[in-house]
Amino acid sequence: MSIPYNAKYNTDDVVRLFDAIAPVWKKSAEEANVDPEVLYKTLESIMEEVRKLEKYDEVDKDLQALLAMVTATSWFDEAQVKTIDEWLGEVAEPEDSDWLEHFPEPETEQAVVAGLRARTASVTIDKIAKGITIEYEGGNYGQGKHDGEVRISDEDVRIYDSRYPGKYLISYDELPHSPDDLKWCLQSSNWGYGTEEEWEG
């Protein structure tokens, strides 16, 4: 069975892709007649469709099985395997799962210290409101040293600079799934400005 590289995110296509790979997953890419780069792009496209869903609140076991099998092949390079494993983690954790558990306090504090070159950082986790606040001292996102807060919710990541009450920076990158993701996010240049409603004219 040839690999359906044109597969989209729907049950039939995901199962079709699984059925095509299952008989050959232990073989080399050449023996299996698989083009790893094209297959990777197919999986990437499927994950982009998953992320566009209005709500993903139940594990898609078909997609989970597909990704688990694919990451066990020898077809992809180290970076691709790492990304596929991350996709597998995303698929296995619906939106209503407790994402707060993926941000242990010490690692999250270190992510902010490293990401903003801050002197200190202190984490507060609000399990009721589902949010994390990291207060930091001596941080710098490119506009000079200052004290402030990083706030993470299930909707966005924000930086509140104490020098500018009522204003914040909001990340335009994907939501972080771990302290390492948060560090990368804080070092990214993909941020915009926002204003708290009570401070608007």
Side-chain angles (χ1 to χ4, degrees):
M1 181 185 295
S2 61
I3 306 294
Y5 294 115
N6 62 344
K8 305 295 183 186
Y9 180 57
N10 59 65
T11 299
D12 288 346
D13 278 10
V14 169
V15 171
R16 202 155 53 90
L17 199 50
F18 181 94
D19 287 345
I21 294 171
V24 297
W25 73 274
K26 289 292 280 183
K27 297 181 178 181
S28 68
E30 188 175 355
E31 290 174 322
N33 196 27
V34 170
D35 186 327
E37 293 303 321
V38 178
L39 178 57
Y40 183 83
K41 289 293 184 186
T42 300
L43 297 170
E44 188 174 45
S45 175
I46 287 173
M47 285 306 300
E48 285 173 1
E49 292 183 66
V50 171
R51 289 167 175 160
K52 289 177 183 175
L53 293 175
E54 195 167 313
K55 195 161 182 62
Y56 180 78
D57 54 8
E58 186 175 337
V59 176
D60 185 329
K61 293 189 179 295
D62 294 327
L63 182 55
Q64 185 180 24
L66 171 64
L67 293 171
M69 178 173 59
V70 166
T71 195
T73 69
S74 60
W75 304 340
F76 304 98
D77 64 33
E78 187 177 342
Q80 289 172 327
V81 170
K82 183 176 184 293
T83 300
I84 294 169
D85 285 341
E86 289 171 356
W87 292 340
L88 183 56
E90 284 184 52
V91 169
E93 296 172 3
E95 290 175 357
D96 60 353
S97 64
D98 193 357
W99 59 271
L100 298 174
E101 294 178 358
H102 299 286
F103 289 88
E105 290 187 23
E107 288 87 346
T108 303
E109 288 171 357
Q110 277 302 114
V112 172
V113 167
L116 292 176
R117 293 168 291 173
R119 286 196 309 274
T120 63
S122 176
V123 171
T124 301
I125 297 176
D126 188 335
K127 293 188 176 182
I128 305 300
K130 294 277 187 183
I132 301 174
T133 299
I134 309 102
E135 295 183 31
Y136 61 85
E137 295 180 351
N140 190 344
Y141 51 82
Q143 299 294 325
K145 291 280 186 183
H146 66 284
D147 300 340
E149 294 179 350
V150 174
R151 297 183 193 175
I152 311 170
S153 70
D154 56 6
E155 294 183 352
D156 56 41
V157 178
R158 301 181 181 188
I159 294 175
Y160 287 82
D161 185 331
S162 61
R163 297 173 298 181
Y164 308 111
K167 296 182 179 180
Y168 57 84
L169 285 165
I170 184 167
S171 172
Y172 292 144
D173 289 313
E174 288 183 19
L175 282 173
H177 299 286
S178 67
D180 281 344
D181 288 350
L182 176 60
K183 175 184 171 183
W184 180 89
C185 178
L186 293 172
Q187 292 175 336
S188 166
S189 60
N190 198 17
W191 293 77
Y193 287 95
T195 306
E196 298 286 9
E197 288 182 10
E198 63 267 28
W199 290 82
E200 292 178 346

